[in-house]
Amino acid sequence: MVKFCFVALALLVACCAVQAAPSYDDVEAAWENFQAHYPQKKDASPQKIAKRKANFIKAHAMIEKHNKIKSVTFQMEHNEFSAMDDDEKKQYNGARPPPHHEGSKFINVDESAVSTRQLPASLDYRTDKCLASVKNQGSCGSCWAFTAITPLEFAQCKKTSTPVVLSEQQLVDCDTSNGGCNGGWYTSAWYYLKNGCAKQSLYTYTATKNTCKYTSAMSAATVSSYGSVISNSPASMQSALQKYGPLAVAITVVNSFYSYKNGVYNDVACDNLGVNHGVVVVGWGSLNGIPYWIARNSWGSSWGSSGYILMQRGVNKCSIEKHPAVIVSVV
């Protein structure tokens, strides 16, 4: 009887172990499905494909393990990052804080009295006519340029009541205070854009750094003034969002971020590390009692929730509340 119970227990443990980990067949099916959506390059060598598959299997295990945890507040999924290695993924970041901000050129947006002000439960600019469609920076570390341009597009549209789509490529090619595809910072970009920003249709995006082609005849918007928002003050960020529009912020991207699907992102792995990516906060709200920021990414509309991510609000998640800044006015 004892032997029977032991064998039964062993079979039960083995069964649970099989259910806890994806089978080889499940991984193969997922890999085939992935390749159908993200085909390998025709000239890819067997070694390159094998490396891609190894990266995918690692990502698949992470995603499966995470999504099976009932208590998680966000879900993960496969996307173009699933087959990339760490160095390739880093090319999609690019926030590089300068050693010194622009001093007197950097206006402080003081919203210190906001704690006593009534704020709405939610705000969402995603459907505002002044917010252009989500863009894709590609494998160029130009997130800083996209983070700089979105608030400018919004501010210009609010002034003229006419939507406008502006050029990130101008910043990549022409802004010598930043590093093109090697990274930069949004407030440095705004300082450069005091001399004008081209329409995207006149200066299209290539995801590579080229010779500067900007002329004043291309200009469709000009930054007049911009400001920092009090660091680590969610209420100040909310007030600035209401008053001026979308906020430029810097965050720390870690592995789980690349595979985000939906829900409120709250991975502790990104906390208390240096920032490496720029995104734009376009609103706030709460889901299942968890307060969040709505952050607009620059990895295309197929990433995350139509190009957006909900990030936990009020706890400086991934340093999102550390470096907020906003365009105050345009010429």
Side-chain angles (χ1 to χ4, degrees), residues 198-211:
K199 282 186 178 181
Q200 186 182 64
S201 60
L202 299 177
Y203 206 141
T204 56
Y205 189 68
T206 65
T208 57
K209 183 174 173 60
N210 309 299
T211 302

Side-chain angles (χ1 to χ4, degrees), residues 102 144-153 156 166-178 185-199 203 212 214 218-226 327 329-331:
E102 293 81 10
W144 59 274
F146 288 80
T147 302
I149 289 296
T150 296
L152 179 56
E153 290 171 335
Q156 181 67 22
L166 301 173
S167 173
E168 290 83 9
Q169 190 64 42
Q170 178 191 344
L171 287 170
V172 173
D173 291 350
C174 307
D175 181 3
T176 58
S177 68
N178 286 303
W185 197 246
Y186 36 88
T187 56
S188 299
W190 288 340
Y191 183 59
Y192 165 82
L193 292 174
K194 282 176 171 283
N195 294 314
C197 183
K199 282 186 178 181
Y203 206 141
C212 181
Y214 174 73
M218 299 177 178
S219 183
T222 303
V223 174
S224 178
S225 62
Y226 54 91
I327 289 181
S329 63
V330 294
V331 175

Side-chain angles (χ1 to χ4, degrees), residues 240-256:
L241 266 167
Q242 279 190 299
K243 186 174 182 180
Y244 301 110
L247 303 178
V249 298
I251 61 172
T252 306
V253 167
V254 293
N255 222 20
S256 62

Side-chain angles (χ1 to χ4, degrees), residues 300-324:
S301 59
S302 62
W303 177 86
S305 182
S306 299
Y308 292 85
I309 181 172
L310 307 182
M311 299 186 67
Q312 188 176 9
R313 170 168 52 94
V315 294
N316 195 29
K317 178 56 56 183
C318 306
S319 296
I320 194 170
E321 293 154 9
K322 188 174 182 181
H323 302 287

Side-chain angles (χ1 to χ4, degrees), residues 108-167:
N108 187 57
V109 180
D110 186 2
E111 301 291 347
S112 58
V114 75
S115 59
T116 60
R117 191 178 306 163
Q118 185 66 36
L119 291 165
S122 64
L123 181 147
D124 189 347
Y125 286 129
R126 283 178 290 184
T127 58
D128 194 293
K129 75 170 187 177
C130 288
L131 196 66
S133 299
V134 171
K135 303 176 186 179
N136 194 339
Q137 70 184 76
S139 56
C140 167
S142 56
C143 61
W144 59 274
F146 288 80
T147 302
I149 289 296
T150 296
L152 179 56
E153 290 171 335
F154 193 90
Q156 181 67 22
C157 175
K158 287 301 180 183
K159 179 180 178 180
T160 63
S161 297
T162 303
V164 62
V165 182
L166 301 173
S167 173

Side-chain angles (χ1 to χ4, degrees), residues 16-28 30 57-65 68 78:
C16 292
V18 170
Q19 292 179 347
S23 70
Y24 181 77
D25 289 340
D26 289 338
V27 172
E28 285 299 309
I57 291 172
K58 184 178 178 181
H60 188 72
M62 175 187 70
I63 291 168
E64 289 287 296
K65 180 180 179 181
K68 286 180 179 178
H78 284 296

Side-chain angles (χ1 to χ4, degrees), residues 47-63:
Q47 294 81 6
K48 187 73 171 180
I49 294 174
K51 182 180 179 182
R52 291 269 185 239
K53 185 175 181 180
N55 291 337
F56 177 85
I57 291 172
K58 184 178 178 181
H60 188 72
M62 175 187 70
I63 291 168

